[in-house]
Amino acid sequence: MKVVIKSIVFASFVSTSVFAQNIKGMVYHDENANGKRERKEIGLANVAVSNGVEVVKTDAKGAYTLPKRESQVIFVIKPSGYQSPLNENNQPTNYYIHKPNGSPSDFKYAGSKPTGVLPASLDFPLVKKEESDEFKVLVFGDPQPYTQQEVDFFEKDIVNEVAGIKNVAFGLSLGDLVGDDLSLHNPYIKAVKKVGLPWYNLMGNHDMNYDAKVDSLSDETFEANFGPANYSLNYGKVHFIVLDNILYPDPRDNKGYWGGFREDQLKFIENDLKHVSKDHLIVLAFHIPLLNTVDDKEGNAFRLKDRNRLFELLKDYPHTLSMSAHTHLQRQNFYGKADGWLQEKPHHEYNAGTTSGDWYSGELKANGTPTSTMRDGTPKGYAFLNLKGNQYSIDYKVAGKDAAYQMEVFLPKVVEKRKSTAAGIFVNFFMGAKGDKVTYSVDGGKWNNMTYMETMDPAFLSTLFKFDQSNVLLSGRRPSNAETSTHLWRGNIPSNLAVGKHEIEVKATDRFGKTHSQKVSYVIEERK
């Protein structure tokens, strides 16, 4: 999937002197979109090109020069108003893999074959594309199929629902594209192709080469299948930085992995940001959330020195957002000065719900796919990142449900009249966070504030109880045990109303000012 440079004849020998030279080439306007530079097609000035560390801009004639590294992926940073050509799977072909000796040959999953000598001129085409400053991005968290059957579940519940979607600029998957079996990368690619959008991907911990002895080689198969693991692009007034933030093997004990960045990755971010306007929105996308617990001084989930360095690099950019996945929960994380953030306004990280939900668990639905509700009670689904200038908002869409379905309300079906009860009305507001306003009204009466709480979602617990108390095997696989939800509210349920059915309306307003509502009912009965 590397860029095809039709006008260049590759040599059949490797010269040490050639390896010592700089990389030179052109970025040009490919007017007829054939991937070949014609005599009349002009070079494009002021376009950024990178080798994953250094970032340079093309000159007035579209020429660039980069220092050559022994093994690297060279790529164009898409400028606003242009698009790199797409391959047959709707993936941008804006990169060239330069690995003279290829990937390690003893890896279970193959990486890149030896690429040999670089072309004398490494040229990249761009095609013009009209772009608005107001646009949407479709976001997938953790498809993570471990089998072809789970690829089919993903395709049936998620991909088919958005296939052919209109008025969306491009798609982005936030890692764990597959579950350890990297031979499933290709079935995943074929499935996502059906969406019909330009599609960008980032690497998760389940997309790595576990055979790697050093972190810089853990992305060899990912790069062969998707291109650079660290890159950036521009669209409208938004600059996206896509990163591999998994350190493997974990440098603390050489086992497992750790959230963090290598020095070369941090240098890439630093060099990249030098070419980005301060009034643009910076969207960072990576797999593992930046979050550590308040008293976690060691950074057991994410290496703190790397997070602090990232925050230092972002300190002069007032408009920022991070997006992550990995947890198979959904939450809004905010980083203030106590967390090392160096601005007055906290940094927002959207830790996205996943397209695989709780790893394809739960009872099977009528269409044969598992329910897959996540451990915090968030149903599986996908998100839309809505951009307007340097401002953003996010919508979550539950798979298979109407877009208005933004919360699950859990309450008793029947309450005894005039008897106090410890039962309550629980609202799981999927995109909610502490500080959001959730209110409820009974039978059109007074609106009452609900109390925010962090506990396990009772609706999800009832699902677990159903599996554990059933006298027969249920369809599908028992879900994972519940985790604390960070978007749960509670209100009291009145029992002193008239006997009969009563309607409760819930309204929830998120941090973007969007208000959502849902109606449910319960019954009050006299004890006979």
Side-chain angles (χ1 to χ4, degrees), residues 327-344:
T327 62
H328 294 258
L329 306 169
Q330 181 156 264
R331 53 182 295 157
Q332 316 296 328
N333 299 327
F334 297 94
Y335 303 92
K337 289 189 175 181
D339 308 297
W341 184 246
L342 301 173
Q343 299 184 39
E344 290 299 321

Side-chain angles (χ1 to χ4, degrees), residues 42-80:
I42 63 171
L44 295 172
N46 209 36
V47 176
V49 186
S50 179
N51 58 9
V53 180
E54 289 86 12
V55 180
V56 298
K57 286 287 193 79
T58 57
D59 64 18
K61 294 183 179 180
Y64 71 90
T65 301
L66 275 167
K68 183 162 57 176
R69 294 171 175 269
E70 183 178 351
S71 181
Q72 62 189 326
V73 183
I74 304 100
F75 58 92
V76 171
I77 296 173
K78 187 192 92 63
S80 296

Side-chain angles (χ1 to χ4, degrees), residues 429 432 435-439 507-516:
F429 179 29
D436 291 345
K437 185 176 183 180
V438 180
T439 60
K507 288 185 178 180
T509 304
D510 64 21
R511 68 184 306 272
F512 306 113
K514 300 175 185 176
T515 298
H516 311 276

Side-chain angles (χ1 to χ4, degrees), residues 497-511:
L497 303 177
V499 169
K501 183 178 180 180
H502 297 273
E503 184 178 77
I504 294 175
E505 182 176 7
V506 176
K507 288 185 178 180
T509 304
D510 64 21
R511 68 184 306 272

Side-chain angles (χ1 to χ4, degrees), residues 21 62 179 286 348 476:
Q21 296 171 356
F286 35 71
H348 177 209

